[in-house]
Amino acid sequence: RPMMSTLLVKFISFLVIIAITTVSAAASGKQKNLNDLDYKTYPKLTAESSAVIEWGHSAIISALDASVAKFGPQTSQAALLEVECQPVLASPMNGAGRSDEEPLDVLANADDVHGNMVVMTNNGGLSGVEMAKLAKNSGAVALLVVNVDQDHSDEIYPLPSEDGFDTDIPVVMISLNSANVLTSATVTPDMDPKDVVNHGMPERVRLYAGGDRPFFEDVTQASPALYLIHNLLTQEECNNLAGQASSKLEPVTKNDILQLAPDTSQAQNVERVYLWKGALKTHAQKSVDERIEQVTGFPADHFSDFHVEKYGTNSMWGAHYDAHPTNGIMATVTVFLTDGGPPVVFPSAKGQPVKVVPRKGLAIVHHDLDEKHQLDYSTVHAFLKGEEEGYIARKHVLLTPVSPARRVVLPLLALPFGGKLPPFLVQVHDTVYEKFGEENGSVYFDKLVVGVSVLILVSVVQMIGTMVQKQMGGGASSSGGTKKGATAGSKKSDSSKIKRSKKTKSS
């Protein structure tokens, strides 16, 4: 039996060694593969090609992002690019007609198109220039091209020019998803199809240059749900956030469940700080949250605070997930605070791996969970080594609103330290978490923090009350002594008066 036990132990040890070696090799191969994958690189759009199509009134305004063609009026020529008119669907829709027919010189509904914005799809075999010529010949004042590419219908891009071609009408592209929004703008669920006017499009739309406003760039609709927001933060906001964090950064060496870093095993030479602001945010910081809420649709009371990371040229954070059973993260907003820093890659993105290179103020939004609130495994991502030093900031969207303990109490405790939580509080959390487990640990910590804070507050109030009472009591004693002395003095004076009166009578 002892011999059998010894052999069994050796066999198990052998299996463990093989398993560790296999996992290490796989991890090494996986990391190597991250650099060797054939990525689809973003961003493709620039502020110079960004335009907006808008409709509605002051109370309700709808807007779509569009990309300006490389010919025709550009965003730098704002007055020439801007038009306000009715959108009209082309006939034929793709501008090409049947394949056995000669190319069209004008659209069949040229009379309706005249003086308006013509909407055409790009599946008729016509180039952007050919569609622009057809729109111009039909009297259109602008051309709106809908990208219906079966494989990339969520993308928009500047249509290229040909042989130096130019035109005086604006030419822009929108995605198929945006076109669906446009063609349902005036449609209600209970509307009879016969009552739908102008194919559901608004009566008038306005086209203008995007400028510095945030605008979207779709990447993948699912697996994972991933898109970019250009200009989410201004240059000044990026500088301020990086500046606030720079003196508080610490090397990432261990997991930090409390501060939303549950798995740091793949971090190499990364520095990080979680900035606890919560309900103590300044007006400028609240404006950032309101902007993120407006453009993403996520409720602001579900937002974590920003945590900022610094990457040197030898820094990286290997393949990992943000969502974890302990943190309830459902989506992540990653913002580049500098033009340098790590490219972010999604190696398991559907169709083709995705890489997003740094651009100051650009945000990556990805949904960590699927529609059933289960982890979306395609959200695995990494921060590769960059050519320059850089900063990024991450803000998470949680399944539930941020608790009062983390919205008020912890930011108050971090306030004297510029928003950085004292290490002993992180240690307390970890101790409670280890004792009560994944399900209850963080909940009990929140209750503990609130309870202790209330006790401290009550104690302080009692101390202040006691001090006030003592001061009032001391003042009363002093006043009483003065009054007694005055009474004695008064009696003495009366006695003197009596004595003087007796002497007068005697004389």
Side-chain angles (χ1 to χ4, degrees):
R1 287 181 180 176
M3 183 178 294
M4 289 293 293
S5 299
T6 302
L7 289 173
L8 182 61
V9 170
K10 288 183 177 180
F11 180 68
I12 293 174
S13 301
F14 176 70
L15 290 178
V16 169
I17 291 172
I18 291 177
I20 293 174
T21 304
T22 304
V23 169
S24 299
S28 176
K30 187 176 183 181
Q31 191 59 59
K32 181 179 179 181
N33 289 340
L34 288 179
N35 294 312
D36 296 339
L37 293 176
D38 180 22
Y39 290 105
K40 192 171 187 179
T41 304
Y42 292 86
K44 298 180 180 296
L45 302 181
T46 63
E48 289 73 23
S49 66
S50 170
V52 180
I53 297 173
E54 182 180 273
W55 67 90
H57 48 77
S58 58
I60 303 176
I61 295 178
S62 300
L64 302 174
D65 291 309
S67 182
V68 179
K70 293 186 177 180
F71 53 88
Q74 302 296 296
T75 56
S76 58
Q77 304 166 299
L80 298 178
L81 180 70
E82 183 172 341
V83 295
E84 184 171 349
C85 55
Q86 180 181 359
V88 176
L89 195 62
S91 178
M93 191 183 304
N94 59 13
R98 297 199 307 267
S99 58
D100 59 344
E101 294 180 340
E102 291 292 325
L104 299 176
D105 291 326
V106 295
L107 294 166
N109 60 337
D111 291 341
D112 296 329
V113 167
H114 186 82
N116 292 310
M117 175 187 290
V118 62
V119 181
M120 299 174 63
T121 58
N122 64 344
N123 60 342
L126 301 180
S127 67
V129 168
E130 289 171 329
M131 285 188 285
K133 290 179 178 178
L134 183 57
K136 177 69 175 177
N137 292 342
S138 302
V141 296
L143 169 62
L144 176 60
V145 178
V146 178
N147 181 21
V148 294
D149 186 326
Q150 186 174 358
D151 296 326
H152 307 288
S153 61
D154 53 349
E155 294 185 2
I156 57 175
Y157 53 89
L159 289 165
S161 182
E162 299 173 7
D163 300 325
F165 171 80
D166 206 356
T167 181
D168 60 353
I169 66 170
V171 179
V172 298
M173 174 184 283
I174 63 172
S175 67
L176 178 59
N177 288 331
S178 294
N180 290 333
V181 173
L182 183 67
T183 54
S184 60
T186 61
V187 180
T188 58
D190 57 346
M191 182 178 287
D192 190 316
K194 296 179 181 178
D195 297 330
V196 176
V197 179
N198 194 25
H199 300 281
M201 294 188 289
E203 184 178 349
R204 296 185 73 79
V205 296
R206 179 181 169 223
L207 170 67
Y208 60 92
D212 293 332
R213 65 178 289 279
F215 64 95
F216 291 89
E217 182 173 353
D218 290 326
V219 179
T220 56
Q221 292 295 316
S223 300
L226 173 64
Y227 58 92
L228 310 181
I229 306 176
H230 294 251
N231 302 328
L232 180 64
L233 296 187
T234 65
Q235 301 287 302
E236 183 180 1
E237 288 167 343
C238 289
N239 294 339
N240 289 342
L241 192 51
Q244 290 173 30
S246 61
S247 61
K248 306 174 184 68
L249 294 164
E250 289 186 353
V252 176
T253 57
K254 61 180 182 178
N255 297 344
D256 189 347
I257 294 172
L258 175 62
Q259 302 185 105
L260 303 182
D263 181 12
T264 60
S265 60
Q266 298 297 319
Q268 299 178 21
N269 303 315
V270 178
E271 296 178 81
R272 178 182 187 270
V273 65
Y274 191 100
L275 296 173
W276 292 88
K277 299 298 180 182
L280 307 182
K281 289 184 176 73
T282 63
H283 175 72
Q285 291 165 343
K286 289 179 181 177
S287 297
V288 170
D289 275 3
E290 289 171 359
R291 187 185 314 140
I292 296 174
E293 179 180 44
Q294 183 180 9
V295 298
T296 64
F298 294 124
D301 60 346
H302 288 241
F303 291 168
S304 75
D305 287 312
F306 274 119
H307 55 97
V308 179
E309 296 158 14
K310 179 183 177 182
Y311 290 79
T313 54
N314 198 34
S315 303
M316 63 173 296
W317 198 317
H320 66 282
Y321 297 98
D322 290 328
H324 190 271
T326 62
N327 57 31
I329 292 174
M330 63 173 292
T332 300
V333 181
T334 304
V335 188
F336 294 106
L337 303 182
T338 52
D339 287 320
V344 184
V345 297
F346 292 80
S348 299
K350 184 178 180 180
Q352 185 177 357
V354 169
K355 175 190 286 187
V356 183
V357 297
R359 181 181 293 175
K360 195 171 183 178
L362 175 72
I364 307 169
V365 181
H366 74 267
H367 293 207
D368 297 277
L369 306 182
D370 60 22
E371 294 177 353
K372 298 180 180 179
H373 289 174
Q374 300 298 314
L375 176 64
D376 184 346
Y377 290 99
S378 66
T379 61
V380 64
H381 58 286
F383 298 84
L384 304 183
K385 292 181 180 179
E387 297 179 356
E388 301 177 28
E389 178 182 281
Y391 287 81
I392 67 158
R394 291 199 248 186
K395 181 182 284 287
H396 301 291
V397 184
L398 309 179
L399 283 169
T400 57
V402 178
S403 67
R406 304 182 187 215
R407 190 177 65 252
V408 179
V409 181
L410 292 181
L412 277 171
L413 296 174
L415 183 61
F417 310 97
K420 183 178 179 180
L421 203 63
F424 81 88
L425 283 172
V426 179
Q427 294 173 1
V428 169
H429 172 273
D430 292 345
T431 301
V432 174
Y433 180 83
E434 290 175 5
K435 182 174 179 60
F436 295 102
E438 181 180 294
E439 187 174 348
N440 296 317
S442 293
V443 175
Y444 288 163
F445 171 77
D446 284 3
K447 292 180 178 180
L448 176 65
V449 167
V450 173
V452 171
S453 300
V454 170
L455 287 176
I456 293 173
L457 183 61
V458 170
S459 300
V460 170
V461 170
Q462 288 179 340
M463 289 175 59
I464 294 174
T466 302
M467 292 173 60
V468 170
Q469 286 179 351
K470 285 183 177 180
Q471 289 181 352
M472 291 179 66
S477 298
S478 175
S479 175
T482 303
K483 186 176 181 180
K484 184 176 180 181
T487 304
S490 175
K491 288 182 178 178
K492 185 176 181 181
S493 176
D494 290 344
S495 177
S496 298
K497 288 180 180 179
I498 292 171
K499 288 181 179 179
R500 283 198 299 271
S501 175
K502 286 182 179 179
K503 288 181 180 180
T504 303
K505 287 181 180 180
S506 175
S507 68

mmCIF file with all atom_site columns, all heavy atoms in Angstrom, residues 84-99:
data_model
loop_
_atom_site.group_PDB
_atom_site.id
_atom_site.type_symbol
_atom_site.label_atom_id
_atom_site.label_alt_id
_atom_site.label_comp_id
_atom_site.label_asym_id
_atom_site.label_entity_id
_atom_site.label_seq_id
_atom_site.pdbx_PDB_ins_code
_atom_site.Cartn_x
_atom_site.Cartn_y
_atom_site.Cartn_z
_atom_site.occupancy
_atom_site.B_iso_or_equiv
_atom_site.pdbx_formal_charge
_atom_site.auth_seq_id
_atom_site.auth_comp_id
_atom_site.auth_asym_id
_atom_site.auth_atom_id
_atom_site.pdbx_PDB_model_num
ATOM 1   N N   . GLU A 1 84 ? -30.506 71.865 -46.236 1.00 0.00 ? 84 GLU A N   1
ATOM 2   C CA  . GLU A 1 84 ? -31.718 71.473 -45.534 1.00 0.00 ? 84 GLU A CA  1
ATOM 3   C C   . GLU A 1 84 ? -32.808 71.262 -46.562 1.00 0.00 ? 84 GLU A C   1
ATOM 4   O O   . GLU A 1 84 ? -33.169 72.198 -47.295 1.00 0.00 ? 84 GLU A O   1
ATOM 5   C CB  . GLU A 1 84 ? -32.133 72.533 -44.512 1.00 0.00 ? 84 GLU A CB  1
ATOM 6   C CG  . GLU A 1 84 ? -33.341 72.120 -43.685 1.00 0.00 ? 84 GLU A CG  1
ATOM 7   C CD  . GLU A 1 84 ? -33.623 73.069 -42.539 1.00 0.00 ? 84 GLU A CD  1
ATOM 8   O OE1 . GLU A 1 84 ? -32.763 73.931 -42.244 1.00 0.00 ? 84 GLU A OE1 1
ATOM 9   O OE2 . GLU A 1 84 ? -34.708 72.945 -41.935 1.00 0.00 ? 84 GLU A OE2 1
ATOM 10  N N   . CYS A 1 85 ? -33.295 70.026 -46.648 1.00 0.00 ? 85 CYS A N   1
ATOM 11  C CA  . CYS A 1 85 ? -34.262 69.702 -47.692 1.00 0.00 ? 85 CYS A CA  1
ATOM 12  C C   . CYS A 1 85 ? -34.963 68.388 -47.367 1.00 0.00 ? 85 CYS A C   1
ATOM 13  O O   . CYS A 1 85 ? -34.721 67.792 -46.305 1.00 0.00 ? 85 CYS A O   1
ATOM 14  C CB  . CYS A 1 85 ? -33.554 69.607 -49.048 1.00 0.00 ? 85 CYS A CB  1
ATOM 15  S SG  . CYS A 1 85 ? -32.181 68.435 -49.035 1.00 0.00 ? 85 CYS A SG  1
ATOM 16  N N   . GLN A 1 86 ? -35.793 67.939 -48.284 1.00 0.00 ? 86 GLN A N   1
ATOM 17  C CA  . GLN A 1 86 ? -36.520 66.680 -48.097 1.00 0.00 ? 86 GLN A CA  1
ATOM 18  C C   . GLN A 1 86 ? -35.705 65.513 -48.644 1.00 0.00 ? 86 GLN A C   1
ATOM 19  O O   . GLN A 1 86 ? -35.140 65.601 -49.736 1.00 0.00 ? 86 GLN A O   1
ATOM 20  C CB  . GLN A 1 86 ? -37.866 66.730 -48.820 1.00 0.00 ? 86 GLN A CB  1
ATOM 21  C CG  . GLN A 1 86 ? -38.696 65.458 -48.667 1.00 0.00 ? 86 GLN A CG  1
ATOM 22  C CD  . GLN A 1 86 ? -40.022 65.547 -49.416 1.00 0.00 ? 86 GLN A CD  1
ATOM 23  O OE1 . GLN A 1 86 ? -40.333 66.549 -50.032 1.00 0.00 ? 86 GLN A OE1 1
ATOM 24  N NE2 . GLN A 1 86 ? -40.810 64.479 -49.363 1.00 0.00 ? 86 GLN A NE2 1
ATOM 25  N N   . PRO A 1 87 ? -35.624 64.400 -47.901 1.00 0.00 ? 87 PRO A N   1
ATOM 26  C CA  . PRO A 1 87 ? -34.972 63.207 -48.455 1.00 0.00 ? 87 PRO A CA  1
ATOM 27  C C   . PRO A 1 87 ? -35.949 62.464 -49.367 1.00 0.00 ? 87 PRO A C   1
ATOM 28  O O   . PRO A 1 87 ? -37.118 62.260 -49.007 1.00 0.00 ? 87 PRO A O   1
ATOM 29  C CB  . PRO A 1 87 ? -34.635 62.379 -47.212 1.00 0.00 ? 87 PRO A CB  1
ATOM 30  C CG  . PRO A 1 87 ? -35.663 62.784 -46.195 1.00 0.00 ? 87 PRO A CG  1
ATOM 31  C CD  . PRO A 1 87 ? -36.013 64.218 -46.496 1.00 0.00 ? 87 PRO A CD  1
ATOM 32  N N   . VAL A 1 88 ? -35.479 62.058 -50.535 1.00 0.00 ? 88 VAL A N   1
ATOM 33  C CA  . VAL A 1 88 ? -36.334 61.369 -51.511 1.00 0.00 ? 88 VAL A CA  1
ATOM 34  C C   . VAL A 1 88 ? -35.630 60.099 -51.954 1.00 0.00 ? 88 VAL A C   1
ATOM 35  O O   . VAL A 1 88 ? -34.457 60.122 -52.345 1.00 0.00 ? 88 VAL A O   1
ATOM 36  C CB  . VAL A 1 88 ? -36.629 62.267 -52.730 1.00 0.00 ? 88 VAL A CB  1
ATOM 37  C CG1 . VAL A 1 88 ? -37.431 61.502 -53.777 1.00 0.00 ? 88 VAL A CG1 1
ATOM 38  C CG2 . VAL A 1 88 ? -37.368 63.523 -52.303 1.00 0.00 ? 88 VAL A CG2 1
ATOM 39  N N   . LEU A 1 89 ? -36.334 58.968 -51.886 1.00 0.00 ? 89 LEU A N   1
ATOM 40  C CA  . LEU A 1 89 ? -35.757 57.691 -52.292 1.00 0.00 ? 89 LEU A CA  1
ATOM 41  C C   . LEU A 1 89 ? -35.657 57.625 -53.811 1.00 0.00 ? 89 LEU A C   1
ATOM 42  O O   . LEU A 1 89 ? -36.605 57.948 -54.525 1.00 0.00 ? 89 LEU A O   1
ATOM 43  C CB  . LEU A 1 89 ? -36.630 56.546 -51.776 1.00 0.00 ? 89 LEU A CB  1
ATOM 44  C CG  . LEU A 1 89 ? -36.009 55.144 -51.794 1.00 0.00 ? 89 LEU A CG  1
ATOM 45  C CD1 . LEU A 1 89 ? -34.792 55.086 -50.888 1.00 0.00 ? 89 LEU A CD1 1
ATOM 46  C CD2 . LEU A 1 89 ? -37.054 54.111 -51.359 1.00 0.00 ? 89 LEU A CD2 1
ATOM 47  N N   . ALA A 1 90 ? -34.481 57.237 -54.297 1.00 0.00 ? 90 ALA A N   1
ATOM 48  C CA  . ALA A 1 90 ? -34.245 57.168 -55.738 1.00 0.00 ? 90 ALA A CA  1
ATOM 49  C C   . ALA A 1 90 ? -35.072 56.060 -56.385 1.00 0.00 ? 90 ALA A C   1
ATOM 50  O O   . ALA A 1 90 ? -35.407 55.058 -55.755 1.00 0.00 ? 90 ALA A O   1
ATOM 51  C CB  . ALA A 1 90 ? -32.762 56.923 -56.009 1.00 0.00 ? 90 ALA A CB  1
ATOM 52  N N   . SER A 1 91 ? -35.400 56.248 -57.636 1.00 0.00 ? 91 SER A N   1
ATOM 53  C CA  . SER A 1 91 ? -36.074 55.223 -58.431 1.00 0.00 ? 91 SER A CA  1
ATOM 54  C C   . SER A 1 91 ? -35.344 55.113 -59.771 1.00 0.00 ? 91 SER A C   1
ATOM 55  O O   . SER A 1 91 ? -35.348 56.067 -60.550 1.00 0.00 ? 91 SER A O   1
ATOM 56  C CB  . SER A 1 91 ? -37.545 55.582 -58.655 1.00 0.00 ? 91 SER A CB  1
ATOM 57  O OG  . SER A 1 91 ? -38.184 54.609 -59.453 1.00 0.00 ? 91 SER A OG  1
ATOM 58  N N   . PRO A 1 92 ? -34.695 53.953 -60.003 1.00 0.00 ? 92 PRO A N   1
ATOM 59  C CA  . PRO A 1 92 ? -34.528 52.796 -59.126 1.00 0.00 ? 92 PRO A CA  1
ATOM 60  C C   . PRO A 1 92 ? -33.649 53.122 -57.904 1.00 0.00 ? 92 PRO A C   1
ATOM 61  O O   . PRO A 1 92 ? -32.835 54.032 -57.947 1.00 0.00 ? 92 PRO A O   1
ATOM 62  C CB  . PRO A 1 92 ? -33.869 51.760 -60.027 1.00 0.00 ? 92 PRO A CB  1
ATOM 63  C CG  . PRO A 1 92 ? -33.148 52.576 -61.049 1.00 0.00 ? 92 PRO A CG  1
ATOM 64  C CD  . PRO A 1 92 ? -33.993 53.784 -61.293 1.00 0.00 ? 92 PRO A CD  1
ATOM 65  N N   . MET A 1 93 ? -33.850 52.325 -56.836 1.00 0.00 ? 93 MET A N   1
ATOM 66  C CA  . MET A 1 93 ? -33.216 52.643 -55.560 1.00 0.00 ? 93 MET A CA  1
ATOM 67  C C   . MET A 1 93 ? -31.686 52.644 -55.650 1.00 0.00 ? 93 MET A C   1
ATOM 68  O O   . MET A 1 93 ? -31.018 53.453 -55.011 1.00 0.00 ? 93 MET A O   1
ATOM 69  C CB  . MET A 1 93 ? -33.679 51.643 -54.490 1.00 0.00 ? 93 MET A CB  1
ATOM 70  C CG  . MET A 1 93 ? -33.298 52.036 -53.068 1.00 0.00 ? 93 MET A CG  1
ATOM 71  S SD  . MET A 1 93 ? -33.795 50.787 -51.862 1.00 0.00 ? 93 MET A SD  1
ATOM 72  C CE  . MET A 1 93 ? -35.549 50.676 -52.183 1.00 0.00 ? 93 MET A CE  1
ATOM 73  N N   . ASN A 1 94 ? -31.129 51.742 -56.441 1.00 0.00 ? 94 ASN A N   1
ATOM 74  C CA  . ASN A 1 94 ? -29.667 51.662 -56.550 1.00 0.00 ? 94 ASN A CA  1
ATOM 75  C C   . ASN A 1 94 ? -29.129 52.457 -57.743 1.00 0.00 ? 94 ASN A C   1
ATOM 76  O O   . ASN A 1 94 ? -27.932 52.421 -58.021 1.00 0.00 ? 94 ASN A O   1
ATOM 77  C CB  . ASN A 1 94 ? -29.196 50.210 -56.633 1.00 0.00 ? 94 ASN A CB  1
ATOM 78  C CG  . ASN A 1 94 ? -29.780 49.476 -57.826 1.00 0.00 ? 94 ASN A CG  1
ATOM 79  O OD1 . ASN A 1 94 ? -30.343 50.092 -58.734 1.00 0.00 ? 94 ASN A OD1 1
ATOM 80  N ND2 . ASN A 1 94 ? -29.654 48.152 -57.834 1.00 0.00 ? 94 ASN A ND2 1
ATOM 81  N N   . GLY A 1 95 ? -30.039 53.128 -58.457 1.00 0.00 ? 95 GLY A N   1
ATOM 82  C CA  . GLY A 1 95 ? -29.617 53.990 -59.557 1.00 0.00 ? 95 GLY A CA  1
ATOM 83  C C   . GLY A 1 95 ? -29.204 53.265 -60.813 1.00 0.00 ? 95 GLY A C   1
ATOM 84  O O   . GLY A 1 95 ? -28.769 53.896 -61.775 1.00 0.00 ? 95 GLY A O   1
ATOM 85  N N   . ALA A 1 96 ? -29.320 51.929 -60.823 1.00 0.00 ? 96 ALA A N   1
ATOM 86  C CA  . ALA A 1 96 ? -28.794 51.170 -61.965 1.00 0.00 ? 96 ALA A CA  1
ATOM 87  C C   . ALA A 1 96 ? -29.870 50.559 -62.831 1.00 0.00 ? 96 ALA A C   1
ATOM 88  O O   . ALA A 1 96 ? -29.651 50.317 -64.020 1.00 0.00 ? 96 ALA A O   1
ATOM 89  C CB  . ALA A 1 96 ? -27.867 50.066 -61.462 1.00 0.00 ? 96 ALA A CB  1
ATOM 90  N N   . GLY A 1 97 ? -31.026 50.280 -62.261 1.00 0.00 ? 97 GLY A N   1
ATOM 91  C CA  . GLY A 1 97 ? -32.060 49.618 -63.061 1.00 0.00 ? 97 GLY A CA  1
ATOM 92  C C   . GLY A 1 97 ? -31.702 48.175 -63.335 1.00 0.00 ? 97 GLY A C   1
ATOM 93  O O   . GLY A 1 97 ? -30.874 47.564 -62.651 1.00 0.00 ? 97 GLY A O   1
ATOM 94  N N   . ARG A 1 98 ? -32.303 47.609 -64.387 1.00 0.00 ? 98 ARG A N   1
ATOM 95  C CA  . ARG A 1 98 ? -32.032 46.221 -64.724 1.00 0.00 ? 98 ARG A CA  1
ATOM 96  C C   . ARG A 1 98 ? -30.692 46.097 -65.421 1.00 0.00 ? 98 ARG A C   1
ATOM 97  O O   . ARG A 1 98 ? -30.221 47.018 -66.093 1.00 0.00 ? 98 ARG A O   1
ATOM 98  C CB  . ARG A 1 98 ? -33.142 45.658 -65.631 1.00 0.00 ? 98 ARG A CB  1
ATOM 99  C CG  . ARG A 1 98 ? -34.519 45.628 -64.980 1.00 0.00 ? 98 ARG A CG  1
ATOM 100 C CD  . ARG A 1 98 ? -35.436 44.658 -65.739 1.00 0.00 ? 98 ARG A CD  1
ATOM 101 N NE  . ARG A 1 98 ? -35.458 44.962 -67.161 1.00 0.00 ? 98 ARG A NE  1
ATOM 102 C CZ  . ARG A 1 98 ? -36.350 45.759 -67.747 1.00 0.00 ? 98 ARG A CZ  1
ATOM 103 N NH1 . ARG A 1 98 ? -37.287 46.353 -67.007 1.00 0.00 ? 98 ARG A NH1 1
ATOM 104 N NH2 . ARG A 1 98 ? -36.313 45.961 -69.045 1.00 0.00 ? 98 ARG A NH2 1
ATOM 105 N N   . SER A 1 99 ? -30.082 44.928 -65.276 1.00 0.00 ? 99 SER A N   1
ATOM 106 C CA  . SER A 1 99 ? -28.745 44.702 -65.831 1.00 0.00 ? 99 SER A CA  1
ATOM 107 C C   . SER A 1 99 ? -28.737 44.724 -67.357 1.00 0.00 ? 99 SER A C   1
ATOM 108 O O   . SER A 1 99 ? -27.699 44.984 -67.970 1.00 0.00 ? 99 SER A O   1
ATOM 109 C CB  . SER A 1 99 ? -28.196 43.357 -65.339 1.00 0.00 ? 99 SER A CB  1
ATOM 110 O OG  . SER A 1 99 ? -29.075 42.297 -65.711 1.00 0.00 ? 99 SER A OG  1
#
